[in-house]
Amino acid sequence: MITVNARATFSPEGPFKLTEIERRELQPHDVLIEIKYAGICHSDIHTARGEWGPVQYPLVPGHEIAGIVAQVGAAVTKHAVGDRVGVGCMVDSCGECPNCHKGEEQYCLNGMTGTYGATDKYGHYTQGGYSTHIVVTEEFVVRIPDSLPLDAAAPLLCAGITTYSPLRHWGAAPGKRVAVVGLGGLGHMAVKLAHAMGAEVTVLSQSLKKKKTA
Ligand SMILES: [Zn+2]
Ligand SMILES: [Zn+2]
């Protein structure tokens, strides 16, 4: 096992404390990532507080991970040492069911493996990005373009894809109108993405306080 530093919470009420966690030794298709940034998603807070059901503590949240490849397994072809990469909210799936074959691993019929708070196929409890390093199979590691700063890229791995996916699904484009409910962490990304896709974008909000920002 590889011992790495992390920030974990030890109870639903608990503050985060520095601790050490274990990552698995690199398997042939694994990538070791030196984490440079991890976004704080509200799901992290819900999970850390046990608001979405029982949690095994200590828990290291973080599923908006951006960093640099530090080491690769013997059979890795998609990534190389030094690559700028990211990891989102899944770190594995069966790879064999119809949904995995369609590239919709989030709907894996055998259950995808969450980046933290899940049991992976090795029987280990997964721990997330509030740590110095993570080991992830190469299929679930994405390349971050050189033009994108790593700190700005991290939130795209959850907040970004959450808004990008429905915009793509419903074909946001010139001539289309998009309404975004609320200009928060996800909402402001939806505005930027829908605008970049060429749609006419309207923000719906309870007051006009954020009009200028929108
Ligand atoms: Zn999230
Ligand atoms: Zn599957």
Side-chain angles (χ1 to χ4, degrees):
M1 300 294 267
I2 305 167
T3 304
V4 308
N5 292 316
R7 292 254 176 204
T9 180
F10 289 76
S11 73
E13 303 79 29
F16 283 94
K17 291 180 190 162
L18 273 177
T19 190
E20 288 182 343
I21 57 170
E22 304 287 331
R23 301 296 192 187
R24 65 173 179 264
E25 291 290 340
L26 263 65
Q27 303 300 304
H29 285 281
D30 281 345
V31 172
L32 173 70
I33 300 166
E34 182 186 353
I35 299 172
K36 296 291 189 185
Y37 297 93
I40 299 173
C41 175
H42 206 98
S43 307
D44 295 343
I45 300 168
H46 282 307
T47 307
R49 290 177 179 162
E51 291 168 353
W52 283 354
V55 176
Q56 182 180 318
Y57 297 100
L59 176 83
V60 180
H63 57 210
E64 295 179 338
I65 299 167
I68 307 286
V69 174
Q71 205 180 323
V72 294
V76 168
T77 57
K78 291 185 175 250
H79 307 285
V81 173
D83 282 359
R84 307 163 82 253
V85 293
V87 177
C89 56
M90 306 178 277
V91 288
D92 211 350
S93 72
C94 83
E96 291 166 359
C97 73
N99 290 345
C100 283
H101 280 303
K102 275 190 289 185
E104 296 191 330
E105 295 88 348
Q106 72 274 27
Y107 299 131
C108 175
L109 297 176
N110 295 302
M112 57 82 171
T113 306
T115 302
Y116 58 83
T119 301
D120 66 19
K121 66 183 171 199
Y122 304 98
H124 299 152
Y125 188 65
T126 58
Q127 299 283 18
Y130 298 3
S131 56
T132 56
H133 298 77
I134 190 167
V135 174
V136 180
T137 186
E138 61 177 327
E139 295 290 341
F140 288 79
V141 177
V142 295
R143 186 73 192 270
I144 296 175
D146 291 341
S147 57
L148 199 53
L150 290 179
D151 57 340
L156 299 178
L157 276 307
C158 179
I161 190 63
T162 300
T163 48
Y164 178 84
S165 176
L167 289 166
R168 276 297 294 265
H169 182 81
W170 296 102
K176 293 281 182 75
R177 300 175 71 193
V178 171
V180 176
V181 182
L183 194 69
L186 272 71
H188 87 283
M189 288 205 188
V191 169
K192 294 169 91 168
L193 291 167
H195 176 73
M197 290 169 172
E200 182 189 333
V201 186
T202 303
V203 172
L204 306 179
S205 195
Q206 296 184 64
S207 73
L208 291 175
K209 275 189 301 193
K210 295 180 180 173
K211 188 175 176 183
K212 194 159 165 269
T213 312

